[in-house]
């Protein structure tokens, strides 16, 4: 239930926390039985995209879209067969910034190349231009709704918001509300009103961030594609508390956000970075007190972050670390007056060290981190993909990180070459790209098989063993399933969930 609109400053505590050091600076070792498990599906050679970085996106119908410097939109199936090759009008070649995203139905694809154009592609109608080359130069964010098929949100360098709904709007429609405007803060930010990032909530609301504020809309539907602001947060007070002297050796620290991610839980929480070393967490209704923390320079820069079930935030860092944040416990440990009561009931301790845990996953570097719609976590780095499981003990709030699968890619990193990013596809497919145009598609885990699949056979080797990647659908906090006496049971022993053979 939406309450009245919120307008407030993000402030947090008296000072920002520092994320903890890793318990062990050596990278977490992969169990022998977890090495190179999985199935290679298909790979695209770098020649396919002129040895340049590409944008890619899987849809719910098992089609992969790629776009690169060749200036051609290409659609592939899971066998690696090219099912469509669409020449993109204009001079969309040699580009470095591309927005490529499918809608929730898997029917529509948006491609935006700022300065070249913005197009919608469907198999039935082909490619259709929504913005000209000149107008597209102002686009700084474009993404389809998670739940409303055909609804597209767009932000610009001038702080304006546009919405598109196929069959409902006449192209992109500029919104009267929600515009971002900026105020400069010396040494922290310029007067930048550009919308730089955003994310869709499960209820159809859209969260958009600029250098000075975060705004969340009321639910936007295909029948009523109109922006009405529900919450807005000004970030200057949080930015003013950033200890820049601890983060950069010289010059100002850039505190503009680049990523916003919204949890799928109730109540939903929003995570946003302020530059490459500072994080802040809040809820979209402004009911709970926000908190902020910074990453020490030796751990690297924030490459990506996402949410797991149970209000668990996972942050990937460029030097191979992840930070796991138990958000309810973080709020309780900082004595937030409005922390969710359910979270308070689950937290017998207020030890803030338990709220954040740092673990090194890779020896050299990490380039991406992604959580699937089903809640499976994979990280990318050192020419390999690792599937991780994270569990939180309900009694002690102790967090444990394990590597369930390590899938080594057929890619040899060299000076100037590296694996770049990844994306989840349907049925547990992971697509990985390199900075020179490789595309690797594999299924690094059999999580998609579920309790009735291949996991059962392996679990029969012992009387009771934890499932490698099976998660309880009822428990909150990422409880594992256990196989014993012919059935599956929740590891917490509290929720009572069971499943027979």
């Amino acid at each position: 239930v939406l309450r009245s609109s919120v307008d407030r400053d993000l402030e947090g505590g008296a000072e920002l926390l520092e994320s903890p050091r890793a318990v062990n600076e050596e990278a977490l070792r992969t169990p022998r039985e977890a090495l190179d498990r999985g199935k290679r599906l298909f790979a695209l050679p770098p020649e396919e995209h002129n040895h340049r970085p590409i944008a890619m996106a899987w849809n719910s119908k098992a089609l992969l879209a790629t776009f690169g410097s060749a200036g051609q939109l290409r659609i592939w199936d899971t066998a690696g067969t090219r099912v469509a090759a669409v020449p993109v009008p204009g001079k969309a070649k040699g580009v470095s910034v591309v927005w490529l995203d499918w809608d929730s139905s898997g029917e529509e694809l948006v491609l935006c190349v700022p300065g070249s154009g913005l197009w919608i592609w469907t198999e039935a109608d082909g490619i259709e231009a929504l913005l000209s080359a000149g107008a597209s130069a102002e686009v700084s964010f474009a993404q389809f709704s998670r739940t409303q098929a055909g609804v597209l949100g767009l932000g610009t360098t001038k702080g304006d918001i546009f919405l598109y709904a196929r069959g409902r709007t006449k192209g992109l429609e500029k919104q009267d509300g929600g515009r971002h405007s900026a105020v400069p803060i010396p040494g922290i930010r310029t007067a930048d009103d550009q919308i730089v990032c955003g994310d869709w909530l499960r209820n159809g609301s859209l969260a958009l961030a600029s250098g000075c504020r975060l705004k969340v809309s009321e639910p936007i539907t295909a029948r009523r594609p109109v922006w009405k602001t529900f919450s807005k947060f000004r970030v200057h007070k949080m930015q003013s508390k950033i200890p820049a002297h601890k983060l950069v050796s010289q010059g100002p620290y850039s505190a503009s956000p680049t990523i916003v991610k919204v949890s799928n839980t109730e109540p939903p929480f929003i995570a946003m970075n302020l530059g490459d070393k500072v994080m802040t967490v809040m809820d979209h209704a402004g009911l709970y007190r926000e908190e902020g923390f910074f990453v020490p320079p030796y751990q690297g820069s924030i490459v990506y972050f996402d949410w797991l079930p149970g209000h668990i935030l996972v942050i990937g860092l460029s030097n191979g670390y992840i930070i796991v944040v138990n958000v309810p416990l973080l709020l309780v440990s900082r004595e937030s007056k409005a922390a969710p009561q359910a979270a308070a009931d689950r937290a017998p301790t207020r030890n803030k060290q338990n709220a954040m845990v740092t673990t090194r996953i890779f020896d050299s570097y990490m380039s991406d981190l992604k959580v699937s719609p089903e809640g499976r976590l994979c990280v990318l780095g050192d020419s390999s993909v690792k599937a991780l499981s994270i569990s939180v003990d309900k009694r002690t709030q102790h967090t444990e990180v394990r590597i369930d699968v390590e899938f080594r890619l057929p890619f040899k990193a060299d000076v100037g070459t590296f694996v770049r990013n990844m994306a989840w596809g349907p049925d547990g497919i992971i697509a990985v790209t390199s900075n020179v145009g490789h595309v690797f598609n594999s299924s690094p885990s059999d999580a998609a098989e579920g309790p009735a699949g291949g996991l059962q056979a392996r679990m029969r080797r012992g009387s009771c063993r934890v499932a490698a990647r099976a998660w309880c659908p009822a428990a909150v906090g990422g409880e594992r399933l256990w196989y014993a006496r012919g059935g599956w049971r929740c590891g917490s022993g509290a929720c009572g969930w069971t499943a027979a053979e």
Side-chain angles (χ1 to χ4, degrees):
V1 178
L2 293 178
R3 297 172 174 83
S4 59
S5 182
V6 176
D7 186 351
R8 60 178 291 184
D9 294 317
L10 289 183
E11 190 169 0
E15 59 182 22
L16 299 187
L17 291 170
E18 181 176 359
S19 63
R21 299 183 67 90
V23 176
N24 190 339
E25 287 299 328
E26 293 184 1
L28 190 65
R29 295 297 107 187
T30 303
R32 181 178 299 178
E33 62 271 19
L35 284 171
D36 289 326
R37 284 222 319 263
K39 179 181 179 182
R40 294 180 182 177
L41 300 178
F42 71 93
L44 303 178
E47 295 80 10
E48 190 72 43
H49 298 96
N50 293 347
H51 298 268
R52 299 289 298 275
I54 70 163
M56 63 171 179
W58 277 100
N59 72 357
S60 57
K61 298 180 180 295
L63 293 175
L64 173 68
T66 64
F67 180 82
S69 61
Q72 192 177 65
L73 178 65
R74 296 168 182 173
I75 311 296
W76 314 81
D77 63 18
T78 55
T81 303
R82 189 167 66 186
V83 298
V86 184
V88 176
K91 300 178 180 180
K93 297 182 180 182
V95 296
S96 58
V97 178
V98 174
W99 299 95
L100 186 68
D101 190 35
W102 292 94
D103 81 328
S104 61
S105 71
E107 298 286 346
E108 294 185 67
L109 179 71
V110 62
L111 169 65
C112 180
V113 183
S116 296
L118 184 146
W119 302 270
I120 294 289
W121 179 85
T122 63
E123 186 176 5
D125 299 333
I127 195 164
E128 173 189 356
L130 288 186
L131 283 180
S132 65
S136 69
E138 297 180 358
V139 175
S140 53
F141 170 83
Q143 190 179 84
F144 273 115
S145 169
R146 295 190 199 181
T147 57
Q148 298 292 311
V151 175
L152 175 70
L154 186 148
T156 74
T157 57
K158 296 181 178 180
D160 294 319
I161 298 171
F162 290 79
L163 293 173
Y164 163 83
R166 190 170 184 84
R168 291 282 177 177
T169 61
K170 295 180 180 179
L172 287 160
E173 292 188 349
K174 185 176 179 180
Q175 302 300 296
D176 295 330
R179 190 182 188 281
H180 288 237
S181 57
V183 177
I185 298 178
I188 296 293
R189 69 168 191 234
T190 60
D192 186 4
D193 51 8
Q194 171 177 324
I195 293 173
V196 289
C197 53
D199 196 17
W200 288 88
L201 281 69
R202 190 167 53 178
N203 69 351
S205 297
L206 176 59
L208 291 175
S210 63
C212 65
R213 68 187 67 225
L214 170 73
K215 290 187 177 183
V216 184
S217 72
E218 294 183 3
I220 298 169
T221 65
R223 291 187 175 184
R224 192 169 178 271
V226 176
W227 176 288
K228 286 193 174 182
T229 301
F230 173 67
S231 300
K232 51 187 175 181
F233 305 89
R234 291 175 294 274
V235 300
H236 67 279
K237 288 188 176 180
M238 184 77 76
Q239 290 171 326
S240 66
K241 294 180 181 179
I242 294 174
H245 65 285
K246 295 183 179 180
L247 306 180
V248 292
S249 58
Q250 58 185 4
Y253 173 80
S254 175
S256 293
T258 57
I259 305 170
V260 171
K261 295 298 293 185
V262 184
S263 72
N264 286 326
T265 53
E266 289 296 337
F269 282 86
I270 301 174
M272 180 174 70
N273 67 319
L274 298 175
D276 62 3
K277 290 182 174 60
V278 178
M279 290 292 306
T280 183
V281 181
M282 72 214 79
D283 80 290
H284 85 292
L287 300 178
Y288 310 139
R289 182 180 178 184
E290 67 286 339
E291 290 298 347
F293 57 92
F294 66 92
V295 176
Y298 81 92
Q299 293 179 358
S301 302
I302 297 166
V303 296
Y304 204 74
F305 50 88
D306 212 338
W307 293 91
L308 290 173
H311 303 293
I312 302 299
L313 177 67
V314 186
I315 305 161
L317 304 176
S318 60
N319 286 353
Y321 298 84
I322 64 168
I323 302 173
V324 180
V325 186
N326 185 332
V327 172
L329 184 61
L330 176 66
L331 299 179
V332 171
S333 67
R334 295 280 275 175
E335 297 184 346
S336 173
K337 295 180 180 179
Q341 186 59 42
D345 293 341
R346 294 197 302 267
T349 176
R350 295 196 173 196
N351 185 350
K352 66 185 179 184
Q353 294 303 319
N354 282 347
M356 291 192 288
V357 174
T358 302
T359 305
R360 190 163 198 170
I361 305 298
F362 295 106
D363 290 311
S364 299
Y365 74 95
M366 181 185 300
S367 54
D368 205 0
L369 173 154
K370 288 293 188 298
V371 175
S372 75
E374 298 79 23
R376 301 194 297 274
L377 169 65
C378 276
V379 290
L380 174 67
D382 290 359
S383 299
S384 66
V385 175
K386 296 183 181 183
L388 308 181
S389 60
I390 296 173
S391 59
V392 179
D393 187 283
K394 298 230 181 235
R395 183 177 60 84
T396 65
Q397 298 297 312
H398 173 71
T399 299
E400 182 182 2
V401 179
R402 294 176 294 273
I403 299 175
D404 290 331
V405 176
E406 179 178 350
F407 190 82
R408 295 168 180 166
L409 298 167
F411 175 83
K412 184 178 180 181
D414 204 346
V415 177
T417 64
F418 51 89
V419 286
R420 181 169 172 260
N421 65 346
M422 62 181 175
W424 280 99
D427 300 324
I429 297 174
I430 276 282
V432 174
T433 73
S434 76
N435 67 322
V436 290
H438 295 86
V439 182
F440 305 105
N441 288 273
S442 59
S443 181
S445 76
D446 52 6
E449 297 177 10
L455 287 172
Q456 280 189 342
R458 287 197 295 277
M459 292 305 103
R460 292 192 187 99
R461 296 172 187 169
S463 59
C464 180
R465 293 188 179 180
V466 67
R469 283 161 307 283
W471 301 90
C472 178
V476 176
E479 289 295 344
R480 305 290 287 277
L481 295 180
W482 292 74
Y483 181 79
R485 299 177 183 177
W488 293 85
R489 291 170 176 80
C490 177
S492 72
C495 77
W497 189 91
T498 60
E501 281 265 46

